[in-house]
Amino acid sequence: GKMDSLLLKSKFRGSLLGALMGDCLGSAYEGDELFSAGMKLVIQKSFDKLQGPHFKAPVIQFTDDSAMTRAVAESLIECTGFDQTHMAKKFVKSYYLEPNRGYGAGVTTVFHKLRNNKFVDVLGPAREQFNGEGSLGNGGAMRVAPIALFYYKNSELMVDTARKQSHITHTHKTGVDGAILQAIAIQQSLLLDPKEELDTCKFTDNLINEMDKIEIDEEGLGLVDPSPYKTQLKLLRNLICEDGDGPHDEKVVHQLGNDVSALHSVPTAIYCFLKAQKPIPAIQTENPLRRTVQYAISLGGDTDTIGSMAGAIAGAFYGEEMIRPEILKHCETSDKFRELADQLFHLATA
Ligand code: R7I
Ligand code: MG
Ligand code: MG
Ligand code: MG
């Protein structure tokens, strides 16, 4: 049936606020390794403190993930749809206003070149990255939530726009397809009823079917694995179906990854969302959205980005009600992100 408009509005807010929360909470832990049990306890205690009713602390700043998500949202709103040059300008402007938000090491070259060519060639700089291979980083995926929301009614347009926004900075096939997969995961979550038990196998199978259509080797690249996301999603499927408490985190990180490449972070974020549908022994919270984000961060590696992508998917499923205000109040400019979500909602449902 048709989804209640209040629920859908809450889901729009949940997705952008979940993305912001994952980025802010994960930013302190960005690093290389899977965390030890001791460090996971430190994270648990820190989140418990943040959730305490009277905890006073300086606001936690967001990083490039949220800065770029905000830019994507603002561009869609200002243009009432996607305009590649406008969005590129938004990225560059927000980078030069606040260059110290923790941007990827390669992507700043794109911003310099775009500014120097005055946006006459919007796609050239990204194509030149990494000796012409294009970036395979997760930058295209980490900022895609507003696209999934804005175009949630039209899958074809959503996929096409997820691709084109990625091309502004990321042109490597796995960088682009990671952005598409993240957008599809958010859209699927958005359309599900959070009061019904989520069928994690069906959710994964749908993603596998969609990526089967996306990962066609149109360019004839002759890749060793022509459908690497399908491969990762099948691993994910096996992990999610493991009995008992499920696989050890070492196995999850080993198979799905936790680094800055889209291929080894987007499926991981999806896994975190699915796994957190049920209690996770090492994560003490009743709240499945916090569980999603905390579990994602506890896997180490690219914690802000995997936390943010998992938060965006979880928020699109549960809606804003599942985001604890006690935690959100510690995150920079959450009011702004709520407002952007509302503007996207009005445009998308008009
Ligand atoms: O993808 P991108 O925007 O970075 C996003 C990450 C997130 O974790 C953010 O939180 C922030 O910390 O950065 O930026 P890129 O510079 O395009 O890609 C990120 C990194 O991936 C690069 O700096 C490279 O180290 C690596 N990388 C590659 N390495 C080798 N060959 C990306 N593409 C390649 C490649 O083709
Ligand atoms: Mg970041
Ligand atoms: Mg590359
Ligand atoms: Mg990151």
Side-chain angles (χ1 to χ4, degrees):
K2 204 160 171 289
M3 188 182 296
D4 174 53
S5 149
L6 277 178
L7 173 59
L8 191 60
K9 185 173 180 180
S10 166
K11 282 166 159 277
F12 270 61
R13 288 180 172 190
S15 187
L16 289 201
L17 293 172
L20 175 71
M21 183 176 130
D23 179 26
C24 288
L25 297 188
S27 63
Y29 305 101
E30 206 176 11
D32 296 327
E33 285 156 66
L34 168 65
F35 289 123
S36 63
M39 191 57 202
K40 284 175 185 164
L41 201 59
V42 169
I43 295 172
Q44 172 76 36
K45 294 219 162 107
S46 157
F47 282 23
D48 287 346
K49 238 203 244 173
L50 284 173
Q51 199 175 305
H54 307 298
F55 184 64
K56 295 259 188 305
V59 72
I60 307 169
Q61 292 197 313
F62 62 70
T63 79
D64 59 320
D65 304 61
S66 299
M68 295 198 87
T69 300
R70 183 185 58 188
V72 168
E74 287 178 343
S75 181
L76 290 171
I77 292 162
E78 285 167 32
C79 303
T80 331
F82 180 65
D83 179 321
Q84 204 166 34
T85 303
H86 186 277
M87 196 172 281
K89 286 180 180 168
K90 277 271 169 203
F91 289 163
V92 170
K93 195 174 170 193
S94 108
Y95 168 70
Y96 280 102
L97 271 173
E98 301 177 316
N100 299 322
R101 289 276 185 188
Y103 282 87
V107 75
T108 57
T109 304
V110 176
F111 300 145
H112 292 296
K113 287 184 180 175
L114 283 171
R115 193 172 71 159
N116 287 343
N117 82 25
K118 300 198 163 52
F119 302 91
V120 170
D121 182 10
V122 185
L123 298 175
R127 283 202 203 100
E128 289 167 13
Q129 291 294 90
F130 300 98
N131 301 312
E133 283 176 32
S135 174
L136 46 71
N138 52 24
M142 73 188 184
R143 63 183 187 230
V144 84
I147 306 271
L149 301 177
F150 189 90
Y151 292 108
Y152 83 97
K153 283 182 184 168
N154 186 337
S155 298
E156 220 175 298
L157 200 51
M158 185 194 73
V159 166
D160 192 47
T161 311
R163 178 182 290 120
K164 285 178 177 153
Q165 68 78 26
S166 176
H167 283 165
I168 302 168
T169 53
H170 292 65
T171 62
H172 189 286
K173 189 161 171 54
T174 61
V176 177
D177 287 353
I180 294 173
L181 174 58
Q182 172 67 6
I184 296 172
I186 293 170
Q187 184 202 31
Q188 271 187 205
S189 284
L190 194 73
L191 296 174
L192 287 168
D193 184 351
K195 284 179 225 73
E196 283 170 24
E197 194 184 329
L198 182 81
D199 185 338
T200 55
C201 287
K202 199 171 147 196
F203 191 96
T204 311
D205 285 338
N206 286 339
L207 292 176
I208 292 172
N209 287 335
E210 293 303 319
M211 290 316 283
D212 192 47
K213 293 182 241 166
I214 303 293
E215 290 191 302
I216 305 161
D217 189 7
E218 282 163 341
E219 296 156 53
L221 298 171
L223 305 166
V224 181
D225 180 355
S227 47
Y229 282 98
K230 246 174 74 182
T231 301
Q232 291 308 101
L233 288 167
K234 283 178 184 168
L235 289 174
L236 187 165
R237 196 186 197 288
N238 290 337
L239 289 170
I240 218 68
C241 298
E242 266 187 40
D243 294 334
D245 291 337
H248 287 137
D249 295 348
E250 286 78 8
K251 189 173 174 185
V252 173
V253 169
H254 180 73
Q255 293 200 356
L256 300 182
N258 64 359
D259 61 41
V260 293
S261 71
L263 184 60
H264 297 125
S265 57
V266 177
T268 314
I270 296 166
Y271 175 78
C272 293
F273 162 62
L274 295 175
K275 179 169 172 115
Q277 294 295 307
K278 292 194 187 128
I280 301 172
I283 310 276
Q284 277 129 48
T285 172
E286 295 299 303
N287 180 306
L289 195 142
R290 173 178 158 184
R291 190 185 299 136
T292 300
V293 169
Q294 192 179 326
Y295 179 69
I297 292 167
S298 77
L299 292 179
D302 194 357
T303 49
D304 62 340
T305 306
I306 301 174
S308 180
M309 294 192 295
I313 302 167
F317 180 67
Y318 296 110
E320 186 189 19
E321 285 68 28
M322 208 52 94
I323 296 182
R324 291 297 298 258
E326 300 89 338
I327 292 184
L328 193 64
K329 77 163 192 270
H330 297 292
C331 300
E332 186 184 3
T333 64
S334 61
D335 289 343
K336 174 72 183 169
F337 278 73
R338 186 182 294 100
E339 193 185 303
L340 290 172
D342 287 352
Q343 287 172 297
L344 288 170
F345 174 75
H346 286 300
L347 291 172
T349 57

